[in-house]
Amino acid sequence: MIISAMRLSLLFPIAGAVCMMAPASHASLRHEPDRFFQPGGATPEGFPADALYPKGRLFPFAIGDGKSAREYGKLGVVLLPSADQSAGDARHVQRLNAPETSDQKQSEVALSAQVRQYAADPGIAFWWLQPENLRPGNPQAMKALAAASAAVRVDDPARRPLWTIAPANAKTGLLSHLAPWVGYLGAAQPITLSAREHRALGRWQIERSVEAVQETDSEATPVAIFTLDPPPGAEAPAELAKWVRHDLYLSLLHGGRGAIFLDPAAGSPPEAVEVFQSAALQAARELLGPEKLGEALLFGENREHLEIDVVDGPDEVEVRFPASEALPSLLYPSVSFRDFVHGERRFLILINSAAERVTVMVSGMPYNVVMVHPLFTGEDAFGAMEGEFETLLQPWEVKVYRFIRQ
């Protein structure tokens, strides 16, 4: 059975997610450049530049790789603790180890002691409750989660977010049990080396976290969580870096408000690990670098001025779940996009989730005033003199544009 993604979007509207073509009625703005370039979506005044969202303006980006710790520190990336690396003085995550007890009071005492031990460290960005993959069917684990939430609320003066990892492909029901207790909510999204198709599965996953937050009316922030999970004997495909970037940006366009890159699974091919970590570093440069794209994504205001039409290639992609999952296949648009403004900066992000090339026509811009600046690719800016331009998206390609009035 195939369920249309349009039907899902009607049932569960996603804030900040744009996945369908803008109506043609917006073409009138081709003669109204002032409206097209009208500012909006400013970062709230008083939000500190060095504090993580939702308390600050810094995009939450965490990674387990410490090889580029100096550059990560300059960007504001958070380092996860791992067995072979110490976070040192860098902004980092602090583990909280759940005790092996079913007694609620004992859990609270043990976890409160851990929080008090580290609470004075200003370098801690958020707390990581372990063991991972807490499930509602495990009363002991859920008691530990409640106890950790109480400990952070009472014993951490900064009230930094609590985080734990939900199992891969977690559904809304499971995530709804976690949402009231955590600051960051997300399920693991393994990037498998053999999965050329169905990359839009990451959209389905982040939308489950968004739904869980909405259904529980919690204050949790949905985040995308990635790890490299190769099958035995797999080699790094040439497209791996593209997959990492695609999966990340797709999650951010459909509700994600942060990204966490876990250490690759044990036994991952070294060349695949290198590509995975390099792709994560490049994404950090894009989101946290001079363009501050991450901040724009967090606080930007959606616009519906542009018309995005697939003129060549598939206009839909099918997502199939693992055979063990009792879930139907889904149809999603092949091209996701977000048309948004942050302050006086106007952006468009295009994502191709198909395994083949797609040609897209972008139209609805004012005549003779828009310069289109491709970001992060080194391509030259060009003018959209007729209020439109055509672009080719390679398989799983992400393109980011900034529009500037000339």
Side-chain angles (χ1 to χ4, degrees):
M1 178 174 64
I2 296 177
I3 295 179
S4 169
M6 184 176 293
R7 177 168 172 251
L8 282 178
S9 68
L10 292 174
L11 290 172
F12 307 112
I14 306 299
V18 184
C19 60
M20 294 182 289
M21 307 311 168
S25 61
H26 294 293
S28 61
L29 290 189
R30 292 174 179 172
H31 302 285
E32 299 185 52
D34 290 343
R35 284 185 61 195
F36 185 82
F37 284 104
Q38 182 178 359
T43 303
E45 292 186 10
F47 266 44
D50 59 348
L52 296 183
Y53 181 86
K55 291 188 175 182
R57 63 180 63 194
L58 188 62
F59 183 88
F61 195 110
I63 192 168
D65 169 38
K67 293 186 299 182
S68 303
R70 179 172 296 180
E71 182 172 0
Y72 285 138
K74 292 179 180 178
L75 290 171
V77 173
V78 177
L79 294 181
L80 298 173
S82 61
D84 59 352
Q85 157 230 315
S86 172
D89 295 329
R91 186 190 302 265
H92 59 280
V93 175
Q94 178 60 50
R95 283 194 182 100
L96 296 177
N97 297 307
E100 295 183 1
T101 177
S102 59
D103 183 273
Q104 180 76 22
K105 187 62 177 177
Q106 289 183 9
S107 290
E108 290 179 359
V109 170
L111 288 164
S112 290
Q114 293 180 52
V115 172
R116 289 195 301 270
Q117 179 182 357
Y118 300 105
D121 183 355
I124 294 175
F126 56 92
W127 307 94
W128 181 1
L129 179 63
Q130 297 180 321
E132 302 164 0
N133 292 344
L134 299 177
R135 297 177 183 272
N138 183 341
Q140 179 176 326
M142 294 307 297
K143 288 180 179 179
L145 182 59
S149 180
V152 170
R153 186 172 62 252
V154 173
D155 297 303
D156 177 15
R159 300 280 183 89
R160 285 160 287 202
L162 176 67
W163 170 63
T164 192
I165 306 172
N169 299 327
K171 303 180 186 68
T172 305
L174 188 155
L175 292 163
S176 294
H177 282 84
L178 304 183
W181 306 108
V182 297
Y184 293 143
L185 177 68
Q189 299 182 28
I191 297 179
T192 58
L193 301 185
S194 58
R196 289 177 54 83
E197 309 288 342
H198 316 303
R199 302 236 58 86
L201 181 60
R203 169 180 171 175
W204 178 89
Q205 187 65 78
I206 197 67
E207 286 179 347
R208 304 291 74 75
S209 296
V210 173
E211 286 177 12
V213 171
Q214 292 174 341
E215 291 185 5
T216 58
D217 197 27
S218 77
E219 296 181 356
T221 297
V223 296
I225 304 169
F226 301 101
T227 189
L228 188 65
D229 188 19
E235 297 181 357
E239 305 93 344
L240 179 57
K242 271 192 173 184
W243 293 352
V244 173
R245 191 165 184 260
H246 168 277
D247 292 7
L248 169 61
Y249 274 94
L250 190 68
S251 295
L252 300 184
L253 257 62
H254 293 286
R257 295 293 178 266
I260 299 173
F261 285 82
L262 301 174
D263 289 326
S268 298
E271 63 274 15
V273 173
E274 182 68 29
V275 172
F276 177 78
Q277 293 175 338
S278 296
L281 175 57
Q282 177 57 34
R285 293 178 181 134
E286 295 177 10
L287 294 167
L288 297 169
E291 287 289 344
K292 296 185 178 179
L293 182 61
E295 183 178 340
L297 284 164
L298 291 174
F299 300 104
E301 174 185 316
N302 288 338
R303 296 286 168 86
E304 295 183 351
H305 298 158
L306 299 178
E307 300 164 41
I308 311 296
D309 295 298
V310 174
V311 297
D312 187 45
D315 57 9
E316 289 184 323
V317 292
E318 183 179 0
V319 175
R320 294 179 181 175
F321 295 89
S324 60
E325 293 286 345
L327 292 169
S329 296
L330 302 176
L331 284 179
Y332 283 130
S334 59
V335 176
S336 296
F337 71 95
R338 186 177 179 190
D339 168 20
F340 67 108
V341 61
H342 178 242
E344 296 184 352
R345 302 185 301 156
R346 183 72 192 262
F347 295 96
L348 171 67
I349 299 178
L350 295 171
I351 303 175
N352 177 21
S353 293
E356 53 189 290
R357 300 190 304 177
V358 170
T359 301
V360 171
M361 175 64 76
V362 180
S363 57
M365 291 169 282
Y367 291 129
N368 301 319
V369 298
V370 179
M371 287 296 295
V372 183
H373 290 250
L375 300 182
F376 316 126
T377 63
E379 298 175 89
D380 293 333
F382 58 91
M385 297 299 100
E386 299 299 319
E388 62 185 23
F389 67 92
E390 190 174 274
T391 185
L392 174 66
L393 295 171
Q394 297 293 338
W396 312 293
E397 186 173 14
V398 178
K399 288 190 174 182
V400 184
Y401 297 106
R402 184 175 172 191
F403 300 135
I404 296 178
R405 188 170 184 170
Q406 63 175 356

